[in-house]
Each structure stands twice: as structure tokens, then as C-alpha cells.
Amino acid sequence: MKPPKIRPQRLFIVTNLCLAFASLGLVGAETPGALVFRAGAATSNITPAIGADPKIHTSRPPATHVHDELHARSLVLDDGQAKLAFVVCDLRHISAEVAEGAKRIIEKMTGIPPQCVVISATHTHTSGCAKLEQREGEPYYDYSAFLTRRIAEGVLRAHNQLEPAQVAWGVAEEPTQVFNRRWFLVPGSRTVYGAHDNIEQVDTNPGYKGLLRPAGPVDPQITFLSVRAASGKPISLMASYGLHYVGGVTENTISADYFAIFADRVGELLGADRHQDPPFVGIMANGTSGDVNNLERYSDEELAKRGPQPKKRYEPFEKAREVAHLCADKVMAAHKTLKWHDHVKLTSLQRTLTFERRYPTKEEVEWAQSVKAKRIKPMGTSRYSTYSTVLAYASPEMPPTLDVIVQTHRIGDLAVAAMPFEVFAEIGLELKQRSPIRPLMNISIANGSHGYLPTPAQHKLGGYETWIGVNKVQLDASVKMVDALVEMLGELHKEKP
Ligand SMILES: [Zn+2]
């Protein structure tokens, strides 16, 4: 299918409209020259095909039911000179190839260059296992092609709907729904075995008893950007929160998790009419949540202080709804005090970082070879199932480096850092602390996935996220990435707003 051509006539009308608004004096006093700020938003349905046998992991998603459709949610901003597009997809991961392919189509159809397009995944775990990273070129290719096209079309439609807009941003907090999932255990309670029979210092998702203290922090902030038409009609609200996902859905069911419920709820609270034209688009991106989930865990000491807790049993989807509504309420409270801007400048920077890939240690290779020799069947225990991963990473055939894209964007005095990986919360917090532009919105699993990203200190502690295979890059990759992003934010900071 060929992309629809943008008719020159249409371009002419758009240009004329801008001039008309400028001469009518509808442009804000702070507008430099006659530039009009515009925004447009749209959603594309990206639900994959269903009907595969849930017991057989074929190239098709092992799903037999759709609870709610998956979407690519797009927001396009235009300051009259530069444009910026955000796409947040209801997917567990976003493949770098799909993102790159979509950006090529987007540039052709709208003229927005790839460095001004962010394509990220929410990390919903019920996206029908739409994990495309390792499946490129396989039968799954069908879905990749469909997804690429649908993402690009969403941006085109948002771009078609650009209208004069006001913009504002803010920060809310919801500290009660984020829990670091890596824990030090009470000494003597039990031993934590790692992926390669080694003993580790922290355990991921360790149960609820015998916990000493979490191994890292959480980021309770919900950073958000809001755009509305001059009439007050809400166009879109995009937020970011550092929560892995919520879950608690029925088996073999496709769902966009709490991210989509938030998107819907925030529109409701903003008073967006379901039938308004064009429809309101809510968006919830994943902040930095590599080590943060929604399971309420406390240390033994804290549990003793809290006393016996009533254990609530949740119905399917009930918890996701609860978290989404709490977040939407917090955002709405902050939304009341926003300062609206008639015009802000958009600037974007992109860099490609080359990381050395992760190599297994000598001990890990020896362990993997011994497991292979013993013909231990990779069972439920992930310790033995990782031996083939270790051997794959020991192979000289694996490419020695991995290129990843990082981006920074400036929307007036709001900055956005877009990075791949499932990034640990403390990395996002460091970025926020070192950013010369504040607030900073972090968007992870953006423009590619590439596994977990712990800090060097967390690598030393061990635990699931640090294992080779789920972590694919050199152990100090997070330091290099943060330094690069802070430098880029510094460059954006020097620009006149
Ligand atoms: Zn994850």
C-alpha cells in the first residue's frame, strides 16, 4: 500500500490558516513573530490477531481473547518551525526495527524527521507476547509490518488534525503504587541463588516475608504534558509514571493494562466529550520502572509496625482500574494549577550510543558447559534454563556492539528524555536530578527495547535483572547513557526558549 500523497492544495490552505490566525491577533503575546503553536492527536488500533492455542508458543500471540484493544497513541506538536511526535504503544516491547521503519514512513508522509519522533512501548505484559525483538524476519513478520504501518498512520492522522493549541505541563505524585521489587533479605532467612548457581545479595520478587530493605528507590512522580484548543477543548494529555505494569487480568487475554484505563479516565475527568471532534487522546508512557512493580511489599520491620493487614482479593482488571484512577486523580489535582502557554519552542536532539555487548565470565561459561554436558533439561527453574543464553553470549558470532538511540526534547521549559531499555528507577531519578531543564519527563522502552538496564552498583548485587541475556550491554552502560543524556539536556538548555 502506497502512502497517501499530501496534496499541495492542502499545504496551501494550512499555510493560509496560520497567516489568518496571526492577523486576527489570536496568537499569544509571548509568540515570537507570527508563529502559531499547534497540536493534534490520534490513536491507531494495533491489536494483533488471536486464536492461537494458548499452550503452544507459536509465532502468533498465545491469546484467545481481547479484553480491550491495543493502541498506538500519537501526539504531534508544531511550533510553526519545528515539529515533534510522540507515539506510545500498548506493547510489552518495541523493536528498534519497527520503530525505525515507522519513522521512515512518518518522514515521507509528514516531513517530521526521525530525531523528532519518539516511539515507545508501555510495557503492558498482556499484549499477546508482542515481543518482536527476536522475531524479526520470522512468521511474526506479518505483525511487525502491520504494526509499523499502523504506528506511522497514527502520526499522519494526528498531523492531519493539527490545530492551534495551548500547552502546559506539571508534576503530580503517586507514591503508594510503586514498590521496588529487588530486596535484601533478613540475614539467615534463606539463600538467594543466581542464574548460574552463584549466590546473590538481592532477590527479585522475593515473596512477602523475611524482607530486610529494598535494594533501590522508586520514582513517585507522574510528569505530564497537556494540550488544549483555544476554545478550551482538551486535545491530549500525555503522562509518564515509573511503574512496570499492574496486571491481574484473566489468562490468555490481550489488554493494554492500567495505561489505557488512565488514558480514558483522564479524558473523562478533563470533561472531554466522547464525541468531540477530533477525539481526545490520553496517553500514559512508562517512566523508569525496570525494578519497580505494583506488588505491595514491606520489610519485616515495617510489617510489624503496620500490624495485620486486611488482604483484599481483587477481581480481574480491578487493580489496574484502581491504580489508573488514583493516578488520574493526582494528575487532575495538579492540572488545576497549570500555567498555559500560547506558544513554546520545540527543540530535539538525538544521539546513537554504541555499547559493547555483554560477555559472560569464565565461571559462567564453565557452569553453562557443565549444565549442557549433564543434559539437564531446562526446567521451570530459570537457573538451568539460562545455560543456552550464556553459551550464545560466549559465541564469537554474536555482534560485539549494540547501537541504541537516545533522545532529548524540549517543549518550552519541559524536557523529555527518551531512552531504550527497562531502566532502573534510580537512573531516572539521577537524570531528573542532573537535568538543567525541569521538570524532566522520562520515557523508557523508547525507539527500541534491548533488555534491562541496571546500574554498575546493582550489577554487583545480582538478581534477575542483572543476568546475562535479560541484560545485554556492558555493565557501565547506564553511566554512559546518563552522561550523554545530561550533556544533551545541557545543549538544549543553552538554546533560547
Ligand atoms: Zn519488564
Side-chain angles (χ1 to χ4, degrees):
M1 193 170 63
K2 269 172 82 176
K5 284 209 182 89
I6 301 168
R7 289 194 202 135
Q9 197 185 0
R10 191 183 158 79
L11 283 175
F12 178 71
I13 291 168
V14 172
T15 320
N16 267 349
L17 270 180
C18 296
L19 293 173
F21 278 116
S23 61
L24 281 171
L26 291 176
V27 180
E30 58 186 274
T31 307
L35 299 176
V36 176
F37 190 85
R38 299 185 303 158
T43 58
S44 259
N45 187 316
I46 55 166
T47 310
I50 59 165
D53 184 337
K55 290 178 283 306
I56 304 168
H57 284 261
T58 62
S59 61
R60 287 289 172 116
T64 50
H65 181 62
V66 177
H67 172 265
D68 51 280
E69 304 278 346
L70 307 183
H71 291 94
R73 297 163 188 277
S74 304
L75 168 62
V76 175
L77 305 175
D78 175 10
D79 72 0
Q81 285 176 317
K83 288 173 187 166
L84 176 54
F86 293 99
V87 190
V88 178
C89 307
D90 294 321
L91 293 171
R92 191 192 283 229
H93 289 288
I94 181 79
S95 106
E97 290 81 358
V98 165
E100 197 192 320
K103 286 178 191 186
R104 233 175 296 144
I105 304 173
I106 290 165
E107 186 170 29
K108 226 184 270 173
M109 294 197 298
T110 67
I112 306 175
Q115 65 269 26
C116 300
V117 181
V118 186
I119 302 175
S120 75
T122 59
H123 207 50
T124 170
H125 274 41
T126 40
S127 53
C129 280
K131 188 176 177 177
L132 304 174
E133 199 91 21
Q134 291 96 10
R135 302 183 191 212
E136 221 58 44
E138 297 296 314
Y140 217 74
Y141 174 75
D142 280 354
Y143 183 57
S144 293
F146 168 76
L147 185 59
T148 307
R149 197 74 217 176
R150 294 300 287 160
I151 290 171
E153 284 169 9
V155 173
L156 172 69
R157 285 164 45 214
H159 189 262
N160 287 344
Q161 290 168 176
L162 282 171
E163 60 180 311
Q166 296 178 313
V167 60
W169 50 86
V171 180
E173 283 204 2
E174 181 43 273
T176 67
Q177 298 305 314
V178 275
F179 297 86
N180 196 290
R181 69 184 196 183
R182 289 161 52 81
W183 284 82
F184 290 102
L185 305 183
V186 172
S189 59
R190 62 189 172 82
T191 311
V192 183
Y193 286 103
H196 320 113
D197 282 352
N198 55 328
I199 291 170
E200 306 191 316
Q201 292 180 61
V202 303
D203 201 4
T204 295
N205 290 333
Y208 295 86
K209 294 234 166 84
L211 308 185
L212 184 66
R213 62 185 161 87
V218 296
D219 180 356
Q221 290 189 337
I222 309 171
T223 315
F224 64 93
L225 170 75
S226 189
V227 284
R228 67 181 187 193
S231 63
K233 176 194 72 177
I235 296 172
S236 177
L237 185 143
M238 180 176 77
S240 158
Y241 187 39
L243 175 58
H244 223 79
Y245 71 105
V246 175
V249 314
T250 43
E251 283 218 338
N252 303 311
T253 299
I254 287 174
S255 167
D257 204 280
Y258 98 98
F259 306 97
I261 308 175
F262 171 88
D264 220 41
R265 179 66 176 163
V266 87
E268 220 166 59
L269 296 177
L270 282 168
D273 184 336
R274 265 190 193 280
H275 305 287
Q276 77 174 35
D277 194 22
F280 170 83
V281 178
I283 305 173
M284 175 59 98
N286 203 311
T288 51
S289 70
D291 52 349
V292 177
N293 66 16
N294 188 239
L295 300 174
E296 248 174 280
R297 284 195 180 85
Y298 301 101
S299 66
D300 282 4
E301 201 185 323
E302 176 69 22
L303 273 182
K305 260 191 248 160
R306 288 176 171 249
Q309 295 289 302
K311 196 96 187 116
K312 187 175 172 186
R313 286 193 80 84
Y314 284 94
E315 294 296 319
F317 303 101
E318 190 185 351
K319 188 78 188 291
R321 202 149 39 229
E322 189 177 290
V323 176
H325 284 216
L326 280 169
C327 292
D329 287 346
K330 293 292 171 67
V331 166
M332 281 313 295
H335 201 275
K336 292 198 177 87
T337 61
L338 294 185
K339 182 173 176 265
W340 290 90
H341 304 263
D342 293 324
H343 188 278
V344 294
K345 200 177 154 192
L346 304 172
T347 38
S348 298
L349 276 178
Q350 174 173 305
R351 276 192 204 174
T352 299
L353 305 180
T354 301
F355 292 125
E356 243 178 70
R357 75 166 174 90
R358 178 96 178 256
Y359 288 90
T361 61
K362 212 175 110 238
E363 291 75 28
E364 281 167 354
V365 175
E366 278 166 13
W367 169 86
Q369 277 161 346
S370 79
V371 172
K372 194 182 177 189
K374 277 187 237 158
R375 292 169 178 267
I376 298 174
K377 220 171 150 205
M379 313 156 293
T381 113
S382 42
R383 284 200 277 150
Y384 293 111
S385 65
T386 54
Y387 86 89
S388 53
T389 312
V390 173
L391 294 178
Y393 274 76
S395 159
E397 258 144 59
M398 188 170 272
T401 56
L402 176 73
D403 284 352
V404 311
I405 288 173
V406 292
Q407 297 172 329
T408 53
H409 307 280
R410 185 170 177 180
I411 304 156
D413 282 328
L414 171 74
V416 177
M419 59 207 111
F421 304 114
E422 291 182 58
V423 181
F424 273 34
E426 64 199 82
I427 297 170
L429 289 169
E430 186 187 342
L431 274 169
K432 286 184 176 180
Q433 199 248 319
R434 288 174 59 189
S435 173
I437 310 167
R438 289 183 196 172
L440 174 69
M441 178 190 284
N442 288 319
I443 301 180
S444 67
I445 322 175
N447 306 313
S449 292
H450 315 302
Y452 281 95
L453 190 69
T455 58
Q458 293 287 344
H459 270 296
K460 286 205 180 102
L461 299 177
Y464 167 70
E465 299 86 352
T466 69
W467 296 353
I468 194 162
V470 287
N471 166 261
K472 302 172 197 295
V473 286
Q474 62 189 83
L475 302 183
D476 61 349
S478 73
V479 178
K480 294 205 155 80
M481 187 184 82
V482 169
D483 285 348
L485 283 167
V486 170
E487 211 176 278
M488 291 159 73
L489 289 164
E491 281 172 45
L492 289 185
H493 184 59
K494 276 187 233 144
E495 295 244 342
K496 249 180 72 194

